[in-house]
Amino acid sequence: MTTSGNHGGDSELETSAALFLYSPTALFPSTPPEEPEVIPQISLVPTLALLLGLPIPFGNIGEVIAEVFSEVEDSQPQSSTLAQASALHLNAQQVSRFLHTYSTAAQDLQVKELHRLQNLFSKASADYQWLLQSPQGAEAALQTVITELQQFLRGVRAMCIESWARFSLVRMAGGAALLAATCFLCLLVSQWAASPGFYFRPLLIPMAWGLTGAVMCAGLLATTGLKLDSVVLGAMAAVGSLLPFLWKAWAGWGAKRPLAALLPMPGPVLLLLLIRFAGFFSDSFVIAEARAAPFLLISLILLLVAQLHWEGKLLPPKLLTIPRLGFLTPAGPPRHNGTHALGLGVGLLLCIRLAGLFHRCPEETPACSSSPWLSPLASMVGGRAKNVWYGACVGALVALLAAVRLWLRRYGNLKSPEPPVLFVRWGLPLMGLGTAAYWALASGADEAPPRLRALVAGASVMLPRAVAGLAASGLMLLLWRPVTVLVKAAAGAPRARTVLTPFSGPPTSQADLDYVVPQIYRHMQEEFRGRLERTKSQGPLTVAAYQLGSVYSAAMVTALTLLAFPLLLLHAERISLVFLLLFLQSFLLLHLLAAGIPITTPGPFTVPWQAVSAWAFMATQTFYSTGHQPVFPAIHWHAAFVGVPEGHAFTWLSALLVGTNTFASHILFAGPRKRRQPPGNEAEARVRPEEEEEPLMEMRLRDAPHHFNAALLQLGLKYLFVLGIQILACALAASILRRHLMVWKVFAPKFIFEAMGFIVSSVGLCLGIALVMRVDGAVSSWFRQTPFALHICGGFPGFPTYAAFYQTYSPI
């Protein structure tokens, strides 16, 4: 037997099995030839099944080796021929049943050939039954029946192989070209969105034309009765929207400068993406991707730390005097010291190593042993060990809840009286309690007393439903009132007037403006406050809003935490430790990425490629860390029965639960993360005296709403580009290696899983961006309804609102 390295069996039991055959008589009537006949592997299955007295597997289309069933005695030639005919007839009956069942379920077999083979089997079967009733003098007839049965079996195998191995090269080439063009478009628009002159109209018009053309083509085909493949129709719509955009991009950009200036320069991150792209063409890489994905992620993290060190952001100012490669390093003070960044990097590496302990080995690697921690607690033997593991799982759940509450409390969002914050205070603990109770019942259901089993079964059904219902309620509250800030209205106390330093003449430099404008701003602020204090009858005089700087992140963290609980219920109990590592790993990665982003950057917001690539690598790494593999036998089918032990009346609900379990990492990592300021500056964003200015933090995104929307588009397109090149590589590998021995075992399932993951990630990304835009719209509405801003707009027409004036002229 061969091993997995030589493309052998699927499991250790198959590759290590040995078969010993012994016969007191010769199995073949003559000496075997020097060059024996080549026998297909699928013919061994029915032969061994009949020799062992077992039924032939239903899905096998092999042909039994007739010579094995012959008898060598010359005195009974008819008996030997009859034994061969009996074995072939049993084999043909099984293949005929499979062929009938398959032809009713699929319509890809040739109709004429199918009818010919069915008629051939009917004739051979009738002749065989007739010969059994009158066996005398039927030697020649038996040989004819054997020949007909062999023709039937070989014809069925040839027809199935021709049907199953039929590929459309035109479709494969067109699909690969469409995927490549789409990836190029995402790359082009993402780079174009970072330019100052970017606007959205060139994107919307081609998309509208493409959708209009697709609808018109579909309507024309429906009215005329013609049939056109939906894939071709979608390709026509995509090309129809792609060509006008490229024309407008070339006319608007290429006329002034080369279009290649939009593309990024090759760098280490693109090199890692290229390595991942090329790795999909190797079955060894696909099988060992569970180890390759963490390696790429670790390489990217080390690259980030090295880049921060090289740019001089991790060294004291006194060491930033040596020029590197002819370029002077920035003279400003570093944002982070080396110890802080190294601590973040070490924490990330530690989380990756710990998450790697929850791995599942593919079936093609018999030398590997899967982690025993992937099995549920109910499969454990020993009450003490089970209790210890249950305590660890509940501890991870409590740690996750405590970390979210501490994060919201530190940045002031937990003090808001809004409904989502109240749900975080009371709803999240209830969800955690329900999850822990469900784990306890699921792990000890078999040990429950007989009189309590009905109660335990009912609670095991209701608890997951209750947790899912609470999560849905929390998400609805978050969409309804997403602004989680604390607002206080109070009468302003008399304050001492600011003494303006005399300044003679108009400002002549930027330094003069930086000196004069803040004083004018504070003077105008006190004048506005004084006028409002004289109009106390009109309502609140001032409005104090706390922690607007984390309003976007608070909504995203709350939404992801609410999604985590239903996903936890679909996994085994000990996977909760991986979810805790996932959130911790995300937090550390965001802080490490924030270490390389300056506090104030002029111009549009930019999304670094390092962040998008690291997020994609982390999603893949978490997919394997939660015990999944891109093969169908490794799917966690038990997730379909969470909350409904007896099964579902609707198949789509079972598919939804299983798909959610499989692509949980894609769902959690698809939500866009906002670029945050360094932790040190965030910690300083607390209530301070009026003389000290608060950092704007995430409210800097509202400095230029157009650039903010462009940054969201850039984030989505870059993430889709990284995912798109992965599915492009899988499609190319499956098409180029379509005749490979491992195509149906490795490349085709990997392509299906990557395609489904791309769809789930795209939907999650759109929903995440929609949530951010909902928060942005709610913040805009909140600013318009703020009494302080309304008083300024009403009393001083022509002046900007307080928020816009503060963002424009306040010293940071």
Side-chain angles (χ1 to χ4, degrees), residues 242-252:
L242 178 61
L243 294 179
F245 170 77
L246 292 178
W247 173 259
K248 288 182 176 294
W250 180 84

Side-chain angles (χ1 to χ4, degrees), residues 38-54:
V38 177
I39 300 175
Q41 293 182 6
I42 57 176
S43 298
L44 294 176
V45 177
T47 303
L48 294 178
L50 293 181
L51 287 175
L52 298 174
L54 301 174

Side-chain angles (χ1 to χ4, degrees), residues 528 532 540-544 779-806:
F528 296 154
L532 290 177
L541 301 181
T542 59
V543 172
V779 172
S780 301
S781 177
W782 183 86
F783 272 123
R784 288 192 298 267
Q785 297 174 3
T786 302
F788 190 48
L790 290 177
H791 277 294
I792 293 178
C793 293
F796 298 89
F799 274 84
T801 63
Y802 172 76
F805 190 83
Y806 176 83

Side-chain angles (χ1 to χ4, degrees), residues 226-559:
L226 298 177
K227 293 184 178 180
L228 184 64
D229 195 349
S230 58
V231 177
V232 178
L233 186 62
M236 292 172 57
V239 173
S241 60
L242 178 61
L243 294 179
F245 170 77
L246 292 178
W247 173 259
K248 288 182 176 294
W250 180 84
W253 179 274
K256 300 178 182 178
R257 66 188 74 179
L259 192 63
L262 280 175
L263 301 179
M265 296 297 293
V269 176
L270 294 182
L271 180 61
L272 291 178
L273 294 178
L274 180 61
I275 293 175
R276 180 168 174 79
F277 179 87
F280 284 106
F281 293 86
S282 171
D283 56 344
S284 301
F285 176 87
V286 175
I287 293 174
E289 191 182 14
R291 299 190 301 271
F295 172 77
L296 293 175
L297 181 59
I298 291 173
S299 302
L300 184 57
I301 292 171
L302 296 177
L303 176 64
L304 289 175
V305 177
Q307 183 178 1
L308 291 176
H309 173 74
W310 187 263
E311 293 176 355
K313 298 179 180 178
L314 300 181
L315 299 176
K318 61 181 181 180
L319 299 179
L320 298 178
T321 56
I322 304 177
R324 297 185 177 95
L325 299 179
F327 295 97
L328 294 177
T329 56
R335 293 183 52 199
H336 290 74
N337 55 26
T339 306
H340 178 79
L342 288 178
L344 294 176
V346 171
L348 273 171
L349 298 181
L350 181 61
C351 290
I352 294 173
R353 296 295 295 178
L354 291 177
L357 299 177
F358 297 82
H359 67 283
R360 179 173 182 173
C361 297
E363 296 180 349
E364 294 81 4
T365 54
C368 178
S369 58
S370 301
S371 174
W373 300 344
L374 297 176
S375 58
L377 294 180
S379 62
M380 295 186 62
V381 179
R384 183 174 182 180
K386 183 185 296 186
N387 293 335
V388 171
W389 270 109
Y390 177 76
C393 297
V394 175
L397 194 63
V398 173
L400 178 60
L401 289 174
V404 173
R405 288 179 62 91
L406 289 175
W407 189 91
L408 293 174
R409 178 180 297 175
R410 177 185 178 185
Y411 297 117
N413 303 101
L414 198 62
K415 301 178 181 178
S416 174
E418 295 295 330
V421 178
L422 296 178
F423 186 87
V424 170
R425 294 178 181 174
W426 305 104
L428 284 184
L430 288 178
M431 294 173 65
L433 182 62
T435 304
Y438 174 75
W439 288 347
L441 295 178
S443 61
D446 297 336
E447 303 174 1
R451 58 183 179 180
L452 296 180
R453 288 182 180 178
L455 179 62
V456 170
S460 300
V461 172
M462 297 306 299
L463 285 175
R465 297 180 181 181
V467 173
L470 287 174
S473 302
L475 290 175
M476 294 301 296
L477 291 175
L478 186 63
L479 292 176
W480 176 43
R481 302 292 293 271
V483 181
T484 56
V485 297
L486 177 63
V487 179
K488 289 186 178 181
R495 305 177 65 87
R497 298 184 62 86
T498 304
V499 179
L500 295 180
T501 305
F503 188 86
S504 59
T508 59
S509 63
Q510 184 64 35
D512 295 341
L513 289 174
D514 294 340
Y515 176 73
V516 175
V517 171
Q519 297 189 71
I520 299 176
Y521 160 73
R522 293 192 180 95
H523 179 72
M524 294 178 63
Q525 187 178 11
E526 293 177 0
E527 289 291 336
F528 296 154
R529 182 181 293 108
R531 295 194 182 192
L532 290 177
E533 288 176 355
R534 292 192 293 269
T535 58
K536 295 183 178 180
S537 61
Q538 298 182 4
L541 301 181
T542 59
V543 172
Y546 298 96
Q547 299 312 322
L548 269 172
S550 57
V551 64
Y552 296 99
S553 297
M556 290 302 304
V557 169
T558 303

